[in-house]
Amino acid sequence: MYGASKILVACSDRISDVWVYPNGTISDIGQTLAVDPRFVGYGSFSRNVPDEEAFSEYTLSGSVVVEGLYGTSSFSFISPLEFCLADFDRDFKPDLAVVEFENDAVRIFQNNSVNSLSTPSFSAWTVVLAGDGPVSICHADFNENDKEDLAVANFNSSNVYVLENKCLDYANWPSFTTQSYAVGPNPKCVRAADFDGDGKPDLVTCDFGGAVSILRNTSGIVISFAPKVDVGTGWFGSPSWMCVDDFDSDGKPDIAVTNSGWATITILRNTSTRGSISFEWGGGGVVGLTPWSICSGDFNFDGKPDLAVANNSSHSVSVLLNTTSTSGSGGGVCGDANCDLFVDISDVVYLIAYIFSGGLKPCAACK
């Protein structure tokens, strides 16, 4: 729809197509029936077709349904919650990784789709044991070897499992190794982003104990993370979901968290420097009852990420337009390769070391 942004919202028995207009108003246009849907997502499942849709249905004999441009496919899982898409075997087709809550596992399906004119096709590839009660999953290349790894938040065991991708290119035999890292109590969501500007994706979870836990990436050839750094959200016992985006346009990814028990959201502003994680209170807002899921997008086309929140108890979507002033915002200067907030000869030396000697990646604001 011209001039509007589309959001998929999982309801009790359907997926709703919600359109957000530049002035912040919304309308519910279309619906797809589903059985207890929990997560929705977009992807190019059948090659070169953007914005095909998928959703998970949470039951003991649940499924993930992929709605391609030329057909719909359904794949069976045990109590599937969140899923993610990543090309694990580097064949230029996104594979499907799904957390199974009751099965304490991640089930990965390999993408066998032929071309953009075919129905999306996946085959069961492997099952990797996760911790106790996996609820959320994300992917990133944690050790910079051009292979997508996985991170899984485990609600009951209060940890994150990192699954390192050992698959060969175009291989039919998958291989993943597992590491465990402690986070706050009962994590609900996990996301990857480079918070300290060193070029490596870090991890963050929102924890039901009232905080987010951040794991700084210290990987070399072998994946490793520093012990967690906890940042309070200001609303005890209620963080339920989060998203990561640069809300103040300073070149650093910030965190937006829903507080399900207080009908609010919290923004955590990134004040990290290379090798050191830190955040400060960046504001918040009132939304509907029991806010659950949250996503960001530039709904009014002003170049700043806005927020949309799905409210479970009030059966509504709240849209918060970003009114942050970007004048004088610090944290990154274009050309500042070494993140010292100055552009000088040291940045040239830094870039030469990165390009020719395998040095650290440039600061995010320099990309």
Side-chain angles (χ1 to χ4, degrees):
M1 186 170 297
Y2 182 76
S5 303
K6 180 181 177 181
I7 301 173
L8 296 179
V9 180
C11 308
S12 59
D13 60 354
R14 67 201 63 208
I15 305 295
S16 292
D17 297 339
V18 176
W19 292 91
V20 181
Y21 297 92
N23 63 358
T25 60
I26 62 176
S27 61
D28 188 349
I29 302 298
Q31 295 182 337
T32 301
L33 294 180
V35 180
D36 198 7
R38 294 300 180 94
F39 184 76
V40 293
Y42 290 100
S44 178
F45 302 106
S46 48
R47 303 191 71 172
N48 302 319
V49 179
D51 294 344
E52 295 178 306
E53 300 174 1
F55 58 87
S56 62
E57 297 180 304
Y58 181 78
T59 62
L60 284 177
S61 57
S63 64
V64 171
V65 179
V66 177
E67 296 185 336
L69 184 63
Y70 293 97
T72 298
S73 300
S74 179
F75 312 98
S76 296
F77 294 89
I78 298 173
S79 59
L81 287 173
E82 191 174 18
F83 58 84
C84 69
L85 296 161
D87 182 11
F88 300 115
D89 54 1
R90 303 210 307 178
D91 65 351
F92 305 102
K93 293 183 289 186
D95 306 303
L96 181 65
V98 184
V99 291
E100 296 182 314
F101 181 75
E102 299 291 344
N103 206 29
D104 294 338
V106 176
R107 190 177 297 270
I108 301 176
F109 274 47
Q110 188 178 39
N111 192 335
N112 299 317
S113 303
V114 177
N115 54 52
S116 60
L117 300 179
S118 64
T119 299
S121 175
F122 291 79
S123 62
W125 202 26
T126 189
V127 177
V128 182
L129 292 180
D132 187 358
V135 291
S136 181
I137 189 170
C138 68
H139 69 88
D141 179 10
F142 295 120
N143 56 346
E144 300 180 280
N145 65 350
D146 294 324
K147 294 184 179 182
E148 291 299 304
D149 310 299
L150 290 166
V152 180
N154 299 300
F155 183 82
N156 294 331
S157 51
S158 298
N159 57 14
V160 165
Y161 270 34
V162 176
L163 280 57
E164 183 177 355
N165 185 354
K166 300 285 190 178
C167 303
L168 299 177
D169 293 356
Y170 299 91
N172 288 322
W173 52 91
S175 178
F176 290 85
T177 59
T178 303
Q179 302 176 18
S180 175
Y181 296 92
V183 293
N186 306 123
K188 301 295 293 294
C189 179
V190 61
R191 291 294 179 261
D194 180 13
F195 293 115
D196 65 344
D198 66 351
K200 301 177 183 179
D202 310 300
L203 287 171
V204 59
T205 62
C206 66
D207 312 321
F208 222 51
V212 300
S213 296
I214 301 165
L215 300 170
R216 186 173 66 86
N217 191 340
T218 58
S219 303
I221 297 175
V222 178
I223 292 178
S224 63
F225 288 85
K228 68 183 177 76
V229 173
D230 291 332
V231 180
T233 65
W235 306 93
F236 178 78
S238 61
S240 56
W241 208 256
M242 65 183 172
C243 67
V244 176
D245 212 326
D246 183 9
F247 297 111
D248 57 359
S249 304
D250 67 348
K252 299 180 180 182
D254 309 301
I255 305 170
V257 185
T258 54
N259 302 301
S260 60
W262 298 91
T264 61
I265 67 162
T266 297
I267 305 294
L268 298 174
R269 182 175 178 270
N270 190 349
T271 57
S272 304
T273 57
R274 190 181 294 268
S276 177
I277 297 294
S278 63
F279 282 79
E280 65 182 17
W281 178 270
V286 177
V287 291
L289 296 177
T290 320
W292 204 254
S293 184
I294 187 171
C295 68
S296 62
D298 185 8
F299 302 134
N300 57 354
F301 309 107
D302 65 351
K304 295 183 289 188
D306 309 300
L307 290 169
V309 180
N311 306 301
N312 185 44
S313 295
S314 55
H315 308 291
S316 64
V317 173
S318 299
V319 175
L320 294 85
L321 298 180
N322 190 343
T323 59
T324 305
S325 172
T326 58
S327 60
S329 58
V333 179
C334 185
D336 177 22
N338 58 1
C339 287
D340 64 356
L341 299 183
F342 296 95
V343 179
D344 51 27
I345 189 63
S346 67
D347 299 299
V348 177
V349 175
Y350 192 94
L351 286 171
I352 291 174
Y354 166 64
I355 295 171
F356 297 105
S357 304
L360 292 174
K361 285 185 177 182
C363 177
C366 187
K367 295 179 181 177

